[in-house]
Amino acid sequence: MTFTLWFMGRPAAGKSTIAKRVENLVNERGIRTENLDGDEIRKNLHPDLGFTKEDRELNNRRTAFICRLLNRNGIGVVTGMITPFRDSQEKVREIIEPENDFVLIYVKCSVEACAERDPKNLYEQAREGEIKNFTGINHPFQEPHNPDIVVDTEQQAVEESVVYVENRLEEMDVLAGDAEGEYAFDINRTEEQDIKERLSEEGYLNDD
């Protein structure tokens, strides 16, 4: 069983930044992973969709189906999408589970804080009426009822959030991977390092 890590939250909450850092950590473990960036998915795969409630829900469903296909082929997925409606949050879970692990990660940040850090100045444009259907200003955002992980980027620095997500994923055994063959087994990074140190002390590993 493989996984989809679905980072959701308001625009400029920090979804893409944290998702990329987590992806790097997962890759370091030797787990094949794809990062489906929400903006890139819209631009390249779903250019026909706008930002109405119906279009957003369709965008989420299409992306969830891609995640399921990748998972089916043994590829983990990290994706960052606003996913502003609770029915969509529940639907993407239904699409990906039960064949694969689905982890809904809520990147929590207030509208005010997101607007302050907004690199594209989109919040101000939305407030001035230049952008319609902008999440948190003139379009709804529904916080998830039961996210698997919550990181508060107003209270936590990026690195703190990444470490917290990694620790929670370990607790949930999401990154354990699949056993392959009769003698396969899973170890975490700390256990792996401990084994390497013991082998080195016994002279089985040569660092030169």
Side-chain angles (χ1 to χ4, degrees), residues 21 92 108 169:
R21 298 283 189 89
V92 296
K108 184 177 180 180
L169 292 174

Side-chain angles (χ1 to χ4, degrees), residues 70-81:
L70 288 169
N71 288 169
R72 182 186 298 170
N73 286 277
I75 301 171
V77 178
V78 174
T79 186
M81 307 195 79

Side-chain angles (χ1 to χ4, degrees), residues 25-83:
L25 290 173
V26 173
N27 285 333
E28 288 176 4
R29 294 168 177 257
I31 301 173
R32 291 193 301 163
T33 310
E34 275 293 336
N35 188 331
L36 302 183
D37 179 76
D39 290 339
E40 292 297 317
I41 287 289
R42 266 190 172 274
K43 177 182 177 181
N44 296 297
L45 294 180
H46 309 155
D48 55 316
L49 298 179
F51 293 91
T52 64
K53 184 178 188 294
E54 293 74 20
D55 282 354
R56 288 177 184 272
E57 290 177 336
L58 180 55
N59 181 46
N60 293 153
R61 291 199 304 273
R62 286 179 177 178
T63 303
F65 183 72
I66 296 169
C67 292
R68 188 174 75 176
L69 290 178
L70 288 169
N71 288 169
R72 182 186 298 170
N73 286 277
I75 301 171
V77 178
V78 174
T79 186
M81 307 195 79
I82 296 171
T83 325

Side-chain angles (χ1 to χ4, degrees), residues 69-183:
L69 290 178
L70 288 169
N71 288 169
R72 182 186 298 170
N73 286 277
I75 301 171
V77 178
V78 174
T79 186
M81 307 195 79
I82 296 171
T83 325
F85 298 104
R86 292 192 184 107
D87 51 359
S88 288
Q89 297 159 17
E90 295 169 0
K91 185 62 178 179
V92 296
R93 185 185 294 275
E94 290 174 5
I95 291 172
I96 296 169
E97 290 182 341
E99 291 90 352
N100 307 284
D101 286 324
F102 176 82
V103 183
L104 185 65
I105 304 169
Y106 177 29
V107 182
K108 184 177 180 180
C109 190
S110 68
V111 172
E112 293 75 20
C114 288
E116 288 180 5
R117 67 174 67 157
D118 177 17
K120 300 178 183 178
N121 207 33
L122 299 177
Y123 279 87
E124 183 175 343
Q125 294 178 53
R127 285 188 174 120
E128 293 176 355
E130 298 175 13
I131 301 177
K132 296 180 179 180
N133 296 328
F134 187 81
T135 301
I137 301 298
N138 47 32
H139 212 245
F141 177 81
Q142 299 173 341
E143 292 191 329
H145 281 314
N146 298 300
D148 300 294
I149 300 174
V150 179
V151 290
D152 189 334
T153 57
E154 280 188 79
Q155 306 298 323
Q156 295 174 299
V158 170
E159 198 54 44
E160 290 179 287
S161 297
V162 171
V163 170
Y164 179 73
V165 170
E166 183 183 23
N167 289 339
R168 288 288 292 116
L169 292 174
E170 287 184 341
E171 291 171 3
M172 298 165 67
D173 289 330
V174 172
L175 303 181
D178 291 328
E180 298 179 1
E182 184 179 358
Y183 301 105

